[in-house]
Amino acid sequence: MDVNRDVRVDGHRPVRLAKKRQVLTGTASALPGPSKKVLVLGFDGMDPALLDEFIKEGDLPHFQALREQGDFLPLATTVPPQSPVAWSTFITGLNPGKHNIYDFISRDPEQYIPFFSMARVRAPEKKISLGNWVIPLSNVKTELLRKGKAFWEILSEHNIPSTVLRIPVNFPPVQSKARSLSGMGTPDIRGTYGTFSFYTTKPKEEGKVTSGEIYHVDKKGQEIRSTLIGPSNLFKKDAPPVETEFTVKVDPVNPVAKFVVQDQEILLKEGEWSDWIRVEFKLAPFSKIVGICRFYLKQVHPEFELYVSPLNIDPLEPPFPISTPADYSAQLAKSIGRFYTQGIAEDTWALNENRLSDAEFLQQSKFVMQDQLKIYRFELERFKDGLLFAYFSSTDLLQHMFWRYRDPQHPMYSSREDGSFPPAEKDVIRFVYKHMDDILATTMSRLDSDTTLIVVSDHGFAPFYKFFNLNTWLVQNGYMKFLDPARKESDEFFENIDWLGTKAYALGLNSLYLNLRGRESQGIIEPTLQREKLIKELSQKLLEVKDPENQRPIIKRVYRAEEIYSGYDPRTTPDLIIGYDRGYRASWETALGKVPQELLGENRKKWSGDHCMAAELVPGLILTNKKIQSTHPGLIDIAPTILKEFGLESQEMEGKPIF
C-alpha cells in the first residue's frame, strides 16, 4: 500500500492522509479520535514586540504562561501585510498569487474602477418593469472573491467538527458542514462596509463624510422628525434608498430624549447608548429587509446630536447568508442576544470624522469586544472535539486609532491627561492586550491534554507618521498624465487621468499597476521588454525617494509580482507591491485613485498606527502550547499545521506544518 496516495472524498480535490495515521489504518475513518481538539485564537494585528514588552512588565500573565509552556515566535506575514491578504493565506495555506487577494482594493482593468477585493454583492440580473415597480426574477447574488480551499472545508470532508467564528474573508461563508460566522468583508444592509449616520440641529452640517452621512434636523417645539436610510430598493425604478421615519421627543429641561422607531420607544440620557434597535424597511407589499442599529445620544442641549451606527445585518433575519448552516447566526442570537455582524464593526471613521470622541469610540469598541467574547464563550462551553477558531478584531482597530497615545513622535500624540478615560484604560493598547490575556485565561482554564492551542496574529504594528501620494509622484515623474493639466490634480477614480498618456497607476494601499496594452482597456505599455524596462526604472526611482525633512527613504522595498507570487493571474495581480518604510504609508487618496497636489504630508488623522508597509517590518506572532520545530514559521504554515494535528495533509497547500 502506498501510504502517500491521494484520498478523494466525495469528488473533492485530493487530500493526503499523513503517513503516521495512514500507516495505522489506511482510511479516513482512522483519523484522530473524537477527543482530539485544536483551538486557534486569532488576534488581529497583535504585535510581537509590544506583546513581549507587556509580558516583561507583568501585565499579561497568561501569555507568559503559554510562552513558558510551549513557544512564542514572530510569524512571517504576507506581502503586503494587509489583513485580507494575510488571513486568506492563513485560511488556504496559499500565497496571494493563488488565493487572489492582494489588497483591500482591487480594480477592473477595463474601467480602471476600484472595488473591494473580498466579496461582491450583485443586484438581480433578470427583472421586468411595471410602471414604477421593478420585479426581480432572480435573487441578489453574493460572491466570495477569495480562491483556494479553506482548511475547515477539508476537516468537514473528514467529518471533523469545526466551528469558525468571524474569520475574515469568508463572506459569503464557504459551504461546508462546519459552523461558521462570517467576519471582515461582511457588509451592512446598505451594501457598504459600514456607513454611520449623524443627526444634528447645528446649521450648515449636512452631507457625506468618509463612511458616514451627516443630516441636518430641525427641532419644532420639543420634537424632531427624521428618517433612517436603508438600502437601495431594487423593487423601484432607479432603485432609490428605502427610508423609515423616527421621531424624537426632547425634554425641555433635562438632557434626556425619547425616541420612537416603528413600534419601539427608547429613552436615552445624554451620553447613553441604546441596545440594538430592530428596523424594518418595507421594499414592496410582500418584501422587507431588516437591520439593527444602536443610537448614541451625544448631546441634547443647546444643540441636538445623535449618532446612529451602521445598519448591521440582523443575525435573526439575515437577507443573505452570513453563516453556515444558514440558521446558525439566528441560533447564536437566540442564545446570547443580537450582536454586531458588520465585518469591521469598530466605527473608526466616526472617530476620524470627529463624530465620536476618543472615549465614545472606545465604548463602542467595547460593545464589539463584548459581542465577540459572548459568541466565543458560548462556543467554548460546548467545545468537545474537533476545531474551534475565534477571531478578535479589537487588537487591530484600537492600535490603528490609539497609537498616538504611546508615541510622542506622532503628529497627533496625546498624553491622555484630560481625564476622559479611567486610569486602567489610559494606555488603550495595553488595555486591549490585557483584555486578550483575559480571553486566553478563560481558554487555558478549559484545556486538556488532547488540546493543541495556537494563538496567531496576521501582522504586527508600527507608527503612521506621514502619508505619501503615490499617484502624485507618478505624475511628477512623467508616468501619469492629466487630461486637464491646468487643474494639477485629479479626483477619486482617476477622473482627470489621460490613460493614453499614462504608464502606471496606483490603487489600494500597496498596489501599483502598469497600464499594459492588452490588459488595461487603454493600455500603452507593451507587455514584454517595455514592461521589464519600466518595472526596473520605477523600482529604482521609488527606492530613491527621500523625505525632505530628514532624508530618510520613504519606501523600503519594491516587490515584483513574479518574484514573490506563484500561480497568479497577471490580469488581476498588481505588477509591483510597494513596501513603505516604518512610519510611512500610502495616503487614503492613493487607495481610491485620487491625485492631490501634495506629495508628502503629516498624518493628522486619529488613525495613527498602521502596518501597510514592508512585510519584514511588521511580522505577526504565534504562541502555542507545543514546541515549534520550524525556525521561521509563517502564516502560510498554519493551515497545514492544523490539518496535520488531525492526521491530514493537503497537496495544494504550500506551507509546511510547524510541529
Side-chain angles (χ1 to χ4, degrees):
M1 181 175 64
D2 178 6
V3 296
N4 285 323
R5 77 178 189 278
D6 295 336
V7 177
R8 287 183 180 274
V9 179
D10 298 332
H12 289 84
R13 285 173 290 187
V15 174
R16 179 176 293 172
L17 293 175
K19 285 184 178 181
K20 180 180 176 183
R21 301 303 308 178
Q22 198 171 18
V23 166
L24 288 172
T25 67
T27 67
S29 62
L31 296 172
S35 61
K36 177 62 186 176
K37 296 191 284 289
V38 176
L39 204 160
V40 185
L41 299 177
F43 295 141
D44 199 312
M46 182 170 273
D47 183 76
L50 281 179
L51 186 78
D52 188 53
E53 174 187 329
F54 297 152
I55 287 175
K56 288 176 177 172
E57 291 172 355
D59 284 323
L60 308 177
H62 299 95
F63 279 105
Q64 168 74 14
L66 182 57
R67 177 161 77 173
E68 291 174 352
Q69 182 181 351
D71 239 325
F72 169 31
L73 288 173
L75 189 66
T77 184
T78 50
V79 178
Q82 296 187 32
S83 291
V85 188
W87 286 111
S88 294
T89 287
F90 169 85
I91 289 168
T92 61
L94 298 174
N95 82 91
K98 291 183 178 175
H99 60 59
N100 202 43
I101 304 293
Y102 301 101
D103 201 303
F104 272 98
I105 303 289
S106 190
R107 61 81 172 93
D108 173 5
E110 278 292 315
Q111 305 291 329
Y112 300 90
I113 295 295
F115 59 86
F116 284 111
S117 63
M118 289 178 272
R120 184 181 288 136
V121 180
R122 293 182 187 273
E125 295 177 355
K126 296 179 180 178
K127 49 197 171 187
I128 57 174
S129 297
L130 294 171
N132 287 328
W133 289 95
V134 176
I135 310 300
L137 299 178
S138 56
N139 294 325
V140 171
K141 287 186 178 177
T142 57
E143 180 184 6
L144 176 65
L145 300 179
R146 170 178 54 75
K147 297 179 179 176
K149 201 163 194 172
F151 61 82
W152 64 89
E153 290 182 86
I154 297 170
L155 296 179
S156 291
E157 289 164 9
H158 289 81
N159 296 316
I160 295 170
S162 303
T163 301
V164 179
L165 302 175
R166 289 191 61 81
I167 199 165
V169 206
N170 190 42
F171 172 81
V174 292
Q175 293 303 305
S176 73
K177 289 183 285 188
R179 291 193 198 110
S180 71
L181 184 66
S182 65
M184 181 189 298
T186 308
D188 60 20
I189 69 163
R190 297 178 60 172
T192 75
Y193 278 1
T195 301
F196 70 86
S197 303
F198 194 82
Y199 300 83
T200 177
T201 53
K202 287 182 179 176
K204 298 181 180 177
E205 287 212 18
E206 193 161 33
K208 291 182 182 295
V209 294
T210 303
S211 296
E213 293 173 350
I214 314 300
Y215 301 99
H216 175 78
V217 293
D218 292 318
K219 187 163 63 174
K220 296 180 179 178
Q222 301 304 319
E223 183 174 284
I224 295 168
R225 289 180 174 271
S226 192
T227 54
L228 295 168
I229 308 299
S232 299
N233 189 350
L234 301 178
F235 289 92
K236 288 287 186 72
K237 187 179 179 183
D238 300 327
V242 64
E243 302 177 1
T244 191
E245 290 189 350
F246 70 96
T247 60
V248 189
K249 303 281 188 182
V250 177
D251 188 289
V253 178
N254 299 305
V256 178
K258 183 174 79 173
F259 298 83
V260 180
V261 184
Q262 296 173 339
D263 61 350
Q264 301 156 92
E265 292 188 355
I266 306 105
L267 189 66
L268 293 178
K269 295 183 291 188
E270 184 173 287
E272 188 175 15
W273 292 80
S274 75
D275 200 348
W276 287 112
I277 300 171
R278 179 183 182 275
V279 186
E280 185 175 304
F281 295 94
K282 195 166 185 178
L283 303 173
F286 301 102
S287 181
K288 65 182 181 184
I289 187 168
V290 175
I292 55 172
C293 61
R294 286 182 184 274
F295 282 13
Y296 173 67
L297 182 56
K298 187 176 177 73
Q299 184 173 299
V300 180
H301 302 296
E303 301 291 348
F304 173 84
E305 291 185 327
L306 171 70
Y307 161 88
V308 178
S309 73
L311 282 152
N312 281 234
I313 292 170
D314 185 350
L316 287 167
E317 304 170 81
F320 29 72
I322 58 171
S323 66
T324 58
D327 64 352
Y328 175 54
S329 65
Q331 293 174 22
L332 279 174
K334 287 174 184 174
S335 299
I336 64 170
R338 288 187 167 97
F339 49 84
Y340 279 97
T341 56
Q342 181 190 335
I344 300 177
E346 293 87 347
D347 201 343
T348 56
W349 279 104
L351 175 58
N352 257 344
E353 296 290 348
N354 296 314
R355 300 299 163 175
L356 293 178
S357 68
D358 287 354
E360 291 162 348
F361 168 73
L362 183 58
Q363 179 55 62
Q364 189 267 333
S365 298
K366 287 180 184 175
F367 291 139
V368 178
M369 293 159 68
Q370 289 163 8
D371 279 358
Q372 294 176 357
L373 185 55
K374 274 193 305 184
I375 295 170
Y376 173 57
R377 280 181 169 161
F378 177 80
E379 288 298 349
L380 186 63
E381 284 295 319
R382 60 177 185 175
F383 178 48
K384 305 299 181 190
D385 60 352
L387 171 87
L388 173 59
F389 171 89
Y391 168 85
F392 297 90
S393 58
S394 300
T395 30
D396 180 81
L397 277 309
L398 294 187
Q399 287 183 100
H400 276 302
M401 304 313 293
F402 292 114
W403 190 274
R404 59 199 158 92
Y405 276 16
R406 54 179 295 114
D407 187 346
Q409 296 182 49
H410 198 281
M412 294 290 284
Y413 173 65
S414 171
S415 63
R416 303 310 310 153
E417 297 297 338
D418 62 3
S420 58
F421 286 177
E425 300 170 10
K426 187 174 166 184
D427 183 346
V428 179
I429 294 177
R430 188 185 302 265
F431 162 74
V432 72
Y433 276 60
K434 290 173 74 171
H435 176 73
M436 299 307 153
D437 192 69
D438 292 340
I439 291 172
L440 188 57
T442 301
T443 304
M444 292 177 73
S445 70
R446 296 185 59 84
L447 293 186
D448 57 30
S449 58
D450 291 320
T451 306
T452 300
L453 173 63
I454 302 173
V455 177
V456 294
S457 71
D458 54 334
H459 54 71
F461 250 84
F464 174 18
Y465 298 138
K466 290 186 177 181
F467 61 83
F468 183 66
N469 283 311
L470 181 51
N471 283 316
T472 305
W473 183 87
L474 292 171
V475 170
Q476 292 180 355
N477 287 271
Y479 299 107
M480 178 178 274
K481 186 177 178 183
F482 289 135
L483 286 168
D484 178 6
R487 284 179 52 196
K488 299 180 181 178
E489 61 185 8
S490 172
D491 211 338
E492 292 174 351
F493 311 146
F494 305 111
E495 58 85 35
N496 187 31
I497 298 305
D498 175 6
W499 291 110
L500 296 180
T502 291
K503 298 178 181 176
Y505 59 102
L507 262 182
L509 293 170
N510 296 93
S511 300
L512 193 149
Y513 300 87
L514 304 191
N515 192 23
L516 281 187
R517 193 186 303 278
R519 185 180 70 178
E520 272 74 6
S521 59
Q522 299 181 66
I524 62 171
I525 301 299
E526 294 295 339
T528 52
L529 293 179
Q530 196 179 9
R531 175 184 184 274
E532 179 65 20
K533 180 182 176 185
L534 181 56
I535 280 183
K536 287 182 178 176
E537 185 178 305
L538 283 168
S539 300
Q540 181 180 345
K541 286 188 176 182
L542 284 168
L543 289 171
E544 293 170 355
V545 177
K546 300 283 179 58
D547 184 337
E549 187 178 355
N550 54 28
Q551 296 307 306
R552 280 186 53 199
I554 291 171
I555 295 168
K556 186 174 183 64
R557 293 283 303 275
V558 179
Y559 309 90
R560 296 177 58 155
E562 53 265 41
E563 292 175 349
I564 55 172
Y565 301 143
S566 64
Y568 63 91
D569 182 347
R571 296 169 300 176
T572 59
T573 307
D575 296 287
L576 294 172
I577 307 296
I578 310 303
Y580 294 91
D581 208 342
R582 187 175 173 87
Y584 299 91
R585 206 206 71 177
S587 65
W588 296 107
E589 288 82 359
T590 298
L592 294 177
K594 192 172 182 177
V595 190
Q597 294 188 32
E598 182 182 27
L599 179 64
L600 182 69
E602 275 194 344
N603 174 25
R604 306 292 301 179
K605 290 190 180 298
K606 293 178 179 176
W607 185 287
S608 48
D610 213 283
H611 46 83
C612 297
M613 44 198 71
E616 55 265 43
L617 298 177
V618 283
L621 62 80
I622 181 165
L623 293 103
T624 71
N625 61 351
K626 298 174 68 171
K627 288 294 180 187
I628 297 172
Q629 302 302 315
S630 172
T631 310
H632 301 290
L635 268 173
I636 201 167
D637 300 322
I638 305 305
T641 299
I642 293 169
L643 292 185
K644 188 182 177 188
E645 288 298 286
F646 291 103
L648 298 171
E649 182 181 347
S650 166
Q651 285 188 320
E652 294 187 353
M653 291 183 178
E654 298 171 294
K656 304 296 179 188
I658 63 172
F659 298 134

